Amino acid sequence: MYNFKFSVGPWNVHSGGDSYGPAVRNEIILEEKLRKFSELGFSAIQFHDDDVVPNINKFTEEEIKKQASKIKSLLDKYNLAAEFVAPRLWMDMHTIDGGYTSNSETDRDYAIWRSLRSIDIAKVLGCNKIVLWLAREGTLCSESKSAVDGVNYLINAINIMLDYDKTIKVLIEPKPNEPIDRSFCGTIGHVMGVSAATKDPSRVGGLLESAHAILAGLDPANEIGFGLAMGKLWGVHLNDQNGIKFDQDKAFGVENLRQAFNQIKILMENNYGANGEYIGLDVKAMRTTRDTDSYKHLENSLKIVKLLEAKVRKYDYHFQDTCIKNRDYEALEMYVIEHLMRS
Ligand code: XLS
Ligand code: MG
């Protein structure tokens, strides 16, 4: 079993504004977040392209690389690696109708431009992973786009990224809905299908976020298992979610402990991390959280992962095998629950 390394994104520490109300905490500058992440025990940072280069549209390709090298120095200062760069395609005026799958050719071109700039940034930061969270790739009005064209546009966009740089890997982070109503690529199964249809499936894999799997009505541990079985689970975003509603990004394990345990169990059983993969967190602080507790949800999530790791190490695999042999799943289920409740 491998010792996990952890990653986090700057957006995981935020001022608490939501769709219904303004910010309630002070903004913290990037350098301070990096310093604190390092202190908390994170080894790598997840970035959106515009976390590295704010107002990215205003800059030339050379200026973008120059700005990225300043962030690289900050990472070095705090002994942090960059895990991935993700084009933030859902905020811009060009991506109102989606990025890669927009009905506007100009906007599709813009989405590709941002993706290639994300690759440039990743190279400067010393990482080779590009994450695509396909926020607006789908429909709000079902008849407004063809799902066939949508999926093909997506494959085409990924092929352009693969051609642009032969060393990068593309990780699709699936989510079934929100902000889009019907996503074109909602689960890890969809991701594997898209991967297989690209020009280099060996460089296209997945990143599974627990909350997104739950929103699809699926068990995150099973989704993790699917990606692992395909040899293409290159990232995870552990968090939690209370049922099928808006994306909550709660601290890991706070809603469904058994489900959280099974995520850690399957990752440990399959030596996740042995090829340099990180346990990423993608968690939000509650709106009620005070400034002084701005990092509490991260500390809690790390603590819960570590407590569950210890639970897996103490898990009686011999008893599991015996129950499986006797097809006594009632006993196995009770054992798991008692194991989790034992102090
Ligand atoms: C949002 C996504 C986002 C990605 C990175 O739901 O989880 O945070 O992880 O773009
Ligand atoms: Mg995520």
Side-chain angles (χ1 to χ4, degrees), residues 11 46 133 173 207 209 212 237 239 282:
W11 65 91
Q46 313 158 14
W133 171 47
E173 178 181 344
L207 180 155
E209 174 163 321
H212 297 178
H237 274 174
N239 58 14
D282 198 355

PDB file of all heavy atoms in Angstrom, residues 11 46 133 173 207 209 212 237 239 282, ligand 2:
ATOM      1  N   TRP A  11      -8.911  27.618  -5.264  1.00  0.00           N
ATOM      2  CA  TRP A  11     -10.341  27.952  -5.148  1.00  0.00           C
ATOM      3  C   TRP A  11     -10.996  27.237  -3.958  1.00  0.00           C
ATOM      4  O   TRP A  11     -12.132  27.550  -3.611  1.00  0.00           O
ATOM      5  CB  TRP A  11     -11.084  27.609  -6.449  1.00  0.00           C
ATOM      6  CG  TRP A  11     -11.124  26.133  -6.770  1.00  0.00           C
ATOM      7  CD1 TRP A  11     -12.091  25.233  -6.393  1.00  0.00           C
ATOM      8  CD2 TRP A  11     -10.175  25.383  -7.536  1.00  0.00           C
ATOM      9  NE1 TRP A  11     -11.786  23.972  -6.868  1.00  0.00           N
ATOM     10  CE2 TRP A  11     -10.623  24.040  -7.578  1.00  0.00           C
ATOM     11  CE3 TRP A  11      -8.983  25.707  -8.202  1.00  0.00           C
ATOM     12  CZ2 TRP A  11      -9.913  23.034  -8.238  1.00  0.00           C
ATOM     13  CZ3 TRP A  11      -8.290  24.697  -8.865  1.00  0.00           C
ATOM     14  CH2 TRP A  11      -8.751  23.382  -8.875  1.00  0.00           C
ATOM     15  N   GLN A  46      -3.427  22.218  -7.486  1.00  0.00           N
ATOM     16  CA  GLN A  46      -4.247  22.130  -8.693  1.00  0.00           C
ATOM     17  C   GLN A  46      -4.522  23.570  -9.127  1.00  0.00           C
ATOM     18  O   GLN A  46      -4.895  24.397  -8.297  1.00  0.00           O
ATOM     19  CB  GLN A  46      -5.578  21.446  -8.382  1.00  0.00           C
ATOM     20  CG  GLN A  46      -5.488  20.172  -7.565  1.00  0.00           C
ATOM     21  CD  GLN A  46      -6.814  19.848  -6.843  1.00  0.00           C
ATOM     22  OE1 GLN A  46      -7.862  20.413  -7.153  1.00  0.00           O
ATOM     23  NE2 GLN A  46      -6.755  18.943  -5.892  1.00  0.00           N
ATOM     24  N   TRP A 133     -12.761  19.910 -16.733  1.00  0.00           N
ATOM     25  CA  TRP A 133     -14.080  19.810 -16.115  1.00  0.00           C
ATOM     26  C   TRP A 133     -15.034  20.476 -17.103  1.00  0.00           C
ATOM     27  O   TRP A 133     -14.931  21.670 -17.364  1.00  0.00           O
ATOM     28  CB  TRP A 133     -14.131  20.508 -14.746  1.00  0.00           C
ATOM     29  CG  TRP A 133     -15.544  20.579 -14.263  1.00  0.00           C
ATOM     30  CD1 TRP A 133     -16.446  19.537 -14.260  1.00  0.00           C
ATOM     31  CD2 TRP A 133     -16.256  21.725 -13.807  1.00  0.00           C
ATOM     32  NE1 TRP A 133     -17.663  19.974 -13.811  1.00  0.00           N
ATOM     33  CE2 TRP A 133     -17.576  21.316 -13.509  1.00  0.00           C
ATOM     34  CE3 TRP A 133     -15.900  23.048 -13.592  1.00  0.00           C
ATOM     35  CZ2 TRP A 133     -18.544  22.190 -13.032  1.00  0.00           C
ATOM     36  CZ3 TRP A 133     -16.866  23.925 -13.105  1.00  0.00           C
ATOM     37  CH2 TRP A 133     -18.151  23.501 -12.832  1.00  0.00           C
ATOM     38  N   GLU A 173     -12.781  15.334 -16.139  1.00  0.00           N
ATOM     39  CA  GLU A 173     -13.462  15.232 -14.840  1.00  0.00           C
ATOM     40  C   GLU A 173     -14.965  15.265 -15.103  1.00  0.00           C
ATOM     41  O   GLU A 173     -15.542  16.333 -15.334  1.00  0.00           O
ATOM     42  CB  GLU A 173     -13.033  16.406 -13.937  1.00  0.00           C
ATOM     43  CG  GLU A 173     -13.720  16.394 -12.595  1.00  0.00           C
ATOM     44  CD  GLU A 173     -13.322  17.579 -11.701  1.00  0.00           C
ATOM     45  OE1 GLU A 173     -12.298  18.252 -11.975  1.00  0.00           O
ATOM     46  OE2 GLU A 173     -14.049  17.828 -10.730  1.00  0.00           O
ATOM     47  N   LEU A 207     -10.462  11.881 -14.067  1.00  0.00           N
ATOM     48  CA  LEU A 207     -10.330  12.343 -12.684  1.00  0.00           C
ATOM     49  C   LEU A 207     -11.736  12.230 -12.095  1.00  0.00           C
ATOM     50  O   LEU A 207     -12.682  12.794 -12.640  1.00  0.00           O
ATOM     51  CB  LEU A 207      -9.841  13.790 -12.654  1.00  0.00           C
ATOM     52  CG  LEU A 207      -9.642  14.439 -11.272  1.00  0.00           C
ATOM     53  CD1 LEU A 207      -8.616  15.576 -11.370  1.00  0.00           C
ATOM     54  CD2 LEU A 207     -10.920  14.985 -10.666  1.00  0.00           C
ATOM     55  N   GLU A 209     -14.423  12.884  -9.240  1.00  0.00           N
ATOM     56  CA  GLU A 209     -14.788  13.648  -8.037  1.00  0.00           C
ATOM     57  C   GLU A 209     -15.984  12.963  -7.366  1.00  0.00           C
ATOM     58  O   GLU A 209     -17.024  12.728  -7.997  1.00  0.00           O
ATOM     59  CB  GLU A 209     -15.134  15.094  -8.409  1.00  0.00           C
ATOM     60  CG  GLU A 209     -15.653  15.845  -7.190  1.00  0.00           C
ATOM     61  CD  GLU A 209     -15.638  17.349  -7.327  1.00  0.00           C
ATOM     62  OE1 GLU A 209     -14.678  17.904  -7.908  1.00  0.00           O
ATOM     63  OE2 GLU A 209     -16.584  17.981  -6.841  1.00  0.00           O
ATOM     64  N   HIS A 212     -19.468  14.470  -7.801  1.00  0.00           N
ATOM     65  CA  HIS A 212     -20.015  14.370  -9.152  1.00  0.00           C
ATOM     66  C   HIS A 212     -20.609  12.987  -9.394  1.00  0.00           C
ATOM     67  O   HIS A 212     -21.645  12.857 -10.058  1.00  0.00           O
ATOM     68  CB  HIS A 212     -18.933  14.653 -10.196  1.00  0.00           C
ATOM     69  CG  HIS A 212     -18.380  16.053 -10.127  1.00  0.00           C
ATOM     70  ND1 HIS A 212     -17.376  16.495 -10.956  1.00  0.00           N
ATOM     71  CD2 HIS A 212     -18.685  17.100  -9.319  1.00  0.00           C
ATOM     72  CE1 HIS A 212     -17.102  17.760 -10.670  1.00  0.00           C
ATOM     73  NE2 HIS A 212     -17.881  18.139  -9.674  1.00  0.00           N
ATOM     74  N   HIS A 237     -10.864  13.755  -6.885  1.00  0.00           N
ATOM     75  CA  HIS A 237     -11.247  14.903  -6.063  1.00  0.00           C
ATOM     76  C   HIS A 237     -12.167  14.362  -5.003  1.00  0.00           C
ATOM     77  O   HIS A 237     -13.349  14.127  -5.240  1.00  0.00           O
ATOM     78  CB  HIS A 237     -11.973  15.963  -6.904  1.00  0.00           C
ATOM     79  CG  HIS A 237     -11.035  16.891  -7.576  1.00  0.00           C
ATOM     80  ND1 HIS A 237     -11.428  17.852  -8.474  1.00  0.00           N
ATOM     81  CD2 HIS A 237      -9.699  17.018  -7.443  1.00  0.00           C
ATOM     82  CE1 HIS A 237     -10.357  18.527  -8.872  1.00  0.00           C
ATOM     83  NE2 HIS A 237      -9.303  18.044  -8.270  1.00  0.00           N
ATOM     84  N   ASN A 239     -14.458  14.473  -1.863  1.00  0.00           N
ATOM     85  CA  ASN A 239     -15.318  15.395  -1.112  1.00  0.00           C
ATOM     86  C   ASN A 239     -16.589  14.647  -0.777  1.00  0.00           C
ATOM     87  O   ASN A 239     -16.632  13.416  -0.896  1.00  0.00           O
ATOM     88  CB  ASN A 239     -15.565  16.700  -1.899  1.00  0.00           C
ATOM     89  CG  ASN A 239     -16.187  16.483  -3.256  1.00  0.00           C
ATOM     90  OD1 ASN A 239     -16.689  15.404  -3.557  1.00  0.00           O
ATOM     91  ND2 ASN A 239     -16.169  17.511  -4.079  1.00  0.00           N
ATOM     92  N   ASP A 282     -11.346  18.537  -3.260  1.00  0.00           N
ATOM     93  CA  ASP A 282     -12.056  19.645  -3.901  1.00  0.00           C
ATOM     94  C   ASP A 282     -13.246  19.962  -3.001  1.00  0.00           C
ATOM     95  O   ASP A 282     -14.344  19.477  -3.219  1.00  0.00           O
ATOM     96  CB  ASP A 282     -12.493  19.268  -5.326  1.00  0.00           C
ATOM     97  CG  ASP A 282     -12.820  20.500  -6.162  1.00  0.00           C
ATOM     98  OD1 ASP A 282     -12.803  21.623  -5.602  1.00  0.00           O
ATOM     99  OD2 ASP A 282     -13.098  20.366  -7.371  1.00  0.00           O
TER     100      ASP A 282
HETATM  101 MG    MG B   2     -13.327  18.890  -8.950  1.00  0.00          MG
END
